[in-house]
Amino acid sequence: MPFGTLTKRWFDPEVAMLRYEQGVASHAGYVRKINQDAWLAQPDQGLWLVADGMGGHARGEWASAEIVASVAQSVHADDLHDAGAELTAAIERANHRLVAAAKADGASIGSTVAALLVRGGRGSVLWAGDSRVYRYRGGAISLLTRDHSQVEQLVTDGLITAAEAASHPMGHVLTRAIGVGDTVLLDRVEVDVLPEDVFLLCSDGLTRPVADVEIARWLGRETPERAATGLLDLVLSRGAPDNVTLVVLGCDATTLVEA
């Protein structure tokens, strides 16, 4: 298989009536030789993350992996706010290493990041760049992040339409990322997490060739594992011009308690 998938189930100790299931898929695509995306799925820590590296093959791959490595052992707090502070600090440490490496090499090194933290019935979304987090609820999909890109800024300023943005030649130019400056600028939103919610974290390799309405259909009708592999297959069927990574997290109501 040219991609990897993963499914796990566990119970949140603070919300015994919620059960979570996840599916993950990642692929280099058909144009790029190396997959510069990286992902993290730590259900025991209530943490999921996607990073999309930039700066040439080896440097981009290293940048996204560095973020994952920094975060992987760093988030332990039970409180959502404290866990968010731990996550932010871990990303800041990765940013410091990326900036130092870029200065030493005299080259650009960076990565997007999009993360979801869950504590009980609350979630916190943190991001920089154009990797995204969606929530599917009650038959409707909502984008919880806002792209930090030049094109998104043009849309916000009313200079182009959302339809024009989809095919704009400056679509890959970011206004914010990890590793591009000494200061980390992360946006954050807090959301509730309810039974039957489905969350999607993804790199832009998914959202460029696949429309939100298509994403919603997969999230609404399939298990997280099948949604992840199905959406990846859809990207591949359309030529997969970029690396693509997606993490799907589903929430189910249950009366069972797992030891």
Side-chain angles (χ1 to χ4, degrees):
M1 300 283 284
F3 57 84
T5 60
L6 171 67
T7 299
K8 292 184 180 179
R9 296 189 179 196
W10 68 99
F11 291 81
D12 188 313
E14 297 180 5
V15 183
M17 296 300 292
L18 285 180
R19 180 179 68 185
Y20 305 95
E21 182 179 353
Q22 68 186 30
V24 180
S26 187
H27 195 288
Y30 291 141
V31 174
R32 301 184 184 275
K33 295 181 179 180
I34 295 177
N35 191 349
Q36 298 182 75
D37 289 353
W39 57 270
L40 178 68
Q42 289 188 322
D44 56 331
Q45 299 297 330
L47 174 61
W48 299 265
L49 180 149
V50 167
D52 180 357
M54 307 171 293
H57 292 314
R59 290 191 297 269
E61 183 182 26
W62 174 80
S64 60
E66 190 68 17
I67 292 173
V68 167
S70 182
V71 170
Q73 305 299 324
S74 301
V75 182
H76 306 289
D78 293 330
D79 177 77
L80 183 63
H81 181 269
D82 292 344
E86 290 176 336
L87 174 59
T88 299
I91 294 173
E92 288 175 341
R93 290 193 294 271
N95 182 78
H96 177 75
R97 289 191 286 271
L98 266 59
V99 169
K103 290 178 179 178
D105 293 349
S108 175
I109 303 175
S111 177
T112 70
V113 66
L116 171 66
L117 271 170
V118 176
R119 294 291 185 272
R122 299 295 294 173
S124 184
V125 178
L126 297 89
W127 77 98
D130 60 358
S131 292
R132 295 180 175 181
V133 180
Y134 290 87
R135 181 177 62 190
Y136 178 88
R137 173 185 290 176
I141 191 170
S142 300
L143 178 60
L144 302 179
T145 56
R146 177 180 176 272
D147 292 353
H148 297 132
S149 68
Q150 192 171 92
V151 168
E152 181 65 25
Q153 190 60 52
L154 292 174
V155 173
T156 300
D157 294 340
L159 299 177
I160 63 174
T161 66
E164 291 171 329
S167 58
H168 198 281
M170 301 296 287
H172 288 282
V173 179
L174 300 182
T175 58
R176 196 182 299 183
I178 308 303
V180 299
D182 293 331
T183 301
V184 173
L185 295 175
L186 292 170
D187 276 351
R188 173 178 172 172
V189 296
E190 191 169 318
V191 298
D192 56 345
V193 181
L194 300 177
E196 300 185 8
D197 281 351
V198 181
F199 291 88
L200 166 68
L201 293 78
C202 63
S203 61
D204 67 336
L206 171 67
T207 53
R208 292 188 184 279
V210 180
D212 286 4
V213 64
E214 296 175 298
I215 294 173
R217 282 198 291 267
W218 279 96
L219 298 183
R221 73 188 186 191
E222 298 290 353
T223 66
E225 181 181 23
R226 290 179 180 175
T229 56
L231 284 167
L232 178 56
D233 287 344
L234 184 57
V235 173
L236 297 176
S237 73
R238 295 177 179 177
D242 198 357
N243 304 152
V244 55
T245 297
L246 45 102
V247 177
V248 182
L249 171 66
C251 309
D252 296 318
T254 180
T255 58
L256 299 176
V257 176
E258 185 173 274

